[in-house]
Amino acid sequence: MAERLAEVCPPIRDAMIAYLERKMATCHPKTVTAMATRLKHFGVFLAQIDPDLGSLAGLDRRRHIEPYLTSLLDAVSLKDGEPITVADRSRRVLAVKCFLTDITEWGWDEAPARKLLFRDDVPKLPQVLPRYLPVDVDRRLTGVLTDNPGNELAAAALRLQRACGLRIGE
């Protein structure tokens, strides 16, 4: 983990390493590795914008957190050079939020004095609409529900949905 966080300033890196070592006791190794990668991005960002930051306790929402959240819009993947997805942005913010929340709850000296990340700071994932049933599949389903004597209630529910205006595609 120390090699992965090599670009992070020493006081911040030490806190991140201690946190990740603690998480090894309760999380799978791959989970901790993913956390380390996401925290690295935050640590590198802090090293770039405030190299003199001596502790996580010195974090400020306006100087550190808000610029970090904004920087994620332009972040690119190290694997393919493409912009990171909304899901990746969300995972990075959640990793930092969990990190800061955990060390605060654990009473670490390095913890910020107050909450810096909030629920609304986590990028919203797009709501995927459910896939519609093709007409032939829908007809077969209706036939099975109607013809099978053990599913009267399911068949009645499906017919009720149709009678209330639910379209085949919904």
Side-chain angles (χ1 to χ4, degrees):
M1 276 181 279
E3 337 47 82
R4 182 171 296 211
L5 300 170
E7 299 172 62
V8 180
C9 292
I12 308 298
R13 180 178 59 231
D14 295 343
M16 287 181 174
I17 290 172
Y19 173 76
L20 293 167
E21 286 173 349
R22 163 59 187 85
K23 293 304 274 186
M24 288 291 281
T26 56
C27 298
H28 291 284
K30 282 189 143 187
T31 302
V32 176
T33 300
M35 278 188 235
T37 300
R38 293 176 185 130
L39 290 177
K40 174 192 120 173
H41 295 295
F42 180 62
V44 169
F45 175 81
L46 292 176
Q48 291 170 349
I49 67 159
D50 192 356
D52 297 328
L53 183 65
S55 170
L56 293 167
L59 284 176
D60 178 73
R61 179 159 171 95
R62 292 195 82 186
R63 282 188 340 182
H64 302 106
I65 302 300
E66 290 174 5
Y68 174 68
L69 295 172
T70 303
S71 75
L72 292 176
L73 295 172
D74 299 322
V76 294
S77 170
L78 298 176
K79 292 180 183 175
D80 59 13
E82 294 292 318
I84 63 171
T85 64
V86 175
D88 285 332
R89 290 192 339 243
S90 180
R91 285 188 285 266
R92 287 185 187 189
V93 173
L94 284 171
V96 173
K97 184 176 188 250
C98 288
F99 169 56
L100 295 176
T101 300
D102 285 348
I103 66 171
T104 300
E105 289 177 355
W106 297 342
W108 287 18
D109 294 335
E110 301 89 356
R114 65 182 197 88
K115 186 175 182 178
L116 298 173
L117 278 161
F118 301 90
R119 182 183 64 221
D120 288 340
D121 292 328
V122 179
K124 307 296 180 272
L125 298 177
Q127 294 284 335
V128 179
L129 294 174
R131 204 180 72 160
Y132 72 93
L133 289 177
V135 176
D136 59 327
V137 173
D138 182 64
R139 287 187 181 132
R140 277 186 290 167
L141 174 63
T142 303
V144 167
L145 290 174
T146 304
D147 296 340
N148 191 339
N151 290 323
E152 292 92 8
L153 186 59
L158 187 60
R159 284 193 302 272
L160 176 64
Q161 287 177 334
R162 294 291 185 265
C164 291
L166 186 67
R167 298 184 307 240
I168 289 175
E170 296 176 320

